[in-house]
Amino acid sequence: MNTIYKYTLELIDEQAVKMPEGAVILCAQIQNGVLCLWARVWSESPLESRIFFIIGTGGPFPASNRPPKYIGTVQAGVFVWHIFEKV
């Protein structure tokens, strides 16, 4: 079934998230104090691991031959985080 799933992200530099293959990332936001990611998925697809980076403003950017894909920026009080996906 084609649906929207929510995934919670930890506030760490890099993490893997298991989601159905071909999931389309919609946005990242803070919900009830928790960093979340929403994606449109085909729920019957096999799972795959996708790598996400969370970089605070002024923080170091991960070195890579291929720049990561920008997902979004979220704010929580004085903190601002930028979410990227490894491609």
Side-chain angles (χ1 to χ4, degrees), residues 22-42:
V24 176
I25 306 302
L26 300 174
C27 71
Q29 294 185 26
I30 301 288
Q31 183 182 42
N32 298 320
V34 177
L35 179 56
C36 299
L37 184 75
W38 283 265
R40 182 173 50 91
V41 305
W42 185 257

Side-chain angles (χ1 to χ4, degrees), residues 2 5 11-12 27 32 40-41 45 47-48 53 55 58 70 80 83 86-87:
N2 197 11
Y5 280 1
L11 289 175
I12 58 176
C27 71
N32 298 320
R40 182 173 50 91
V41 305
S45 293
L47 295 179
E48 66 178 350
F53 302 105
I55 303 167
Y70 175 74
V80 180
I83 296 87
K86 184 176 183 176
V87 292

Side-chain angles (χ1 to χ4, degrees), residues 42-64:
W42 185 257
S43 57
E44 286 83 16
S45 293
L47 295 179
E48 66 178 350
S49 286
R50 293 174 59 174
I51 306 297
F52 294 92
F53 302 105
I54 299 174
I55 303 167
T57 297
F61 206 81
S64 173

Side-chain angles (χ1 to χ4, degrees), residues 4-26:
I4 296 175
Y5 280 1
K6 176 176 79 173
Y7 301 90
T8 58
L9 298 176
E10 297 179 57
L11 289 175
I12 58 176
D13 293 341
E14 181 179 331
Q15 62 199 284
V17 176
K18 289 189 184 283
M19 57 182 59
E21 287 180 0
V24 176
I25 306 302
L26 300 174

